[in-house]
Amino acid sequence: MSDGSLSQDEIDALFQGTDEIMSDTSTTDAMQSDVTATASLSQNVISAFKDLLEVAANNEGEALGAMVGKTVEISNPKVDINSLSDIINTLPKEFIEIKMDFDTGVVGDHSYILDIDTAKVIASLMMGQEGGDITEASLSAICEVMNTISGNALTTIGNQIKKDLRTSPPVAKKIT
């Protein structure tokens, strides 16, 4: 098992092509693009990336738990290499996208996708209310959570790769 450290070449390989992913999922060119740059990653790089994600996920779980007053465990991150069209085909019919593009340390798209039920649970825990629909207030609460846990993850990853990583402020929207 690796110590989770990646070389600069490995980091560059992981982030290569991220600026080519387009946020408009209806774009034909984007749907047909493959993540060919990352398809050639070695098992060692994938393993090191997974180790890094495991540490970041643990920190994200602790941060989320502190925010909602519950014990939260995020475990077993998985690293898959997929084309954009494969990802689009696996999305639920309705979901929440929280877009937080990288703007310091690396440049590229960065989004979290939450299914509606998960988004409702997070929003209700943050707002101290039971259930309900996704509203502007609940999207704001979700953005607050994702900003905090993403910040923790980026600090963890940034410390490992010796770069200051930051994202733009989160913007959440319901996709149907």
Side-chain angles (χ1 to χ4, degrees):
M1 181 168 274
S2 104
D3 67 357
S5 297
L6 296 173
S7 71
Q8 187 60 51
D9 289 340
E10 292 167 330
I11 294 163
D12 293 342
L14 287 170
F15 288 109
Q16 184 177 15
T18 58
D19 57 347
E20 295 172 8
I21 297 173
M22 303 178 76
S23 62
D24 180 3
T25 57
S26 65
T27 304
T28 304
D29 291 343
M31 290 178 65
Q32 293 175 350
S33 70
D34 289 326
V35 188
T36 55
T38 57
S40 62
L41 294 177
S42 72
Q43 280 305 117
N44 288 342
V45 171
I46 292 171
S47 179
F49 191 59
K50 184 176 178 190
D51 291 346
L52 190 58
L53 289 177
E54 286 175 357
V55 173
N58 184 50
N59 289 346
E60 286 177 332
E62 289 174 6
L64 180 57
M67 292 182 80
V68 300
K70 306 254 184 207
T71 301
V72 175
E73 183 178 317
I74 302 173
S75 59
N76 301 323
K78 195 171 138 185
V79 177
D80 288 326
I81 299 171
N82 295 301
S83 68
L84 183 56
S85 61
D86 288 342
I87 294 168
I88 290 168
N89 289 333
T90 62
L91 291 174
K93 185 176 180 176
E94 290 187 313
F95 60 91
I96 303 298
E97 177 189 24
I98 303 93
K99 190 162 183 55
M100 305 171 63
D101 291 343
F102 292 109
D103 62 12
T104 302
V106 295
V107 176
D109 294 340
H110 175 221
S111 292
Y112 289 93
I113 303 294
L114 299 176
D115 64 64
I116 296 295
D117 291 336
T118 301
K120 285 179 180 179
V121 168
I122 291 171
S124 66
L125 288 169
M126 285 295 293
M127 299 169 66
Q129 301 171 351
E130 288 292 319
D133 291 329
I134 298 294
T135 63
E136 286 301 315
S138 58
L139 288 175
S140 179
I142 292 166
C143 280
E144 181 181 343
V145 167
M146 299 312 290
N147 193 47
T148 299
I149 67 171
S150 178
N152 284 2
L154 291 177
T155 298
T156 300
I157 294 168
N159 289 340
Q160 289 290 318
I161 66 172
K162 298 175 181 32
K163 281 192 175 194
D164 182 29
L165 301 177
R166 296 184 193 229
T167 62
S168 59
V171 176
K173 63 182 176 180
K174 183 177 179 181
I175 309 292
T176 56

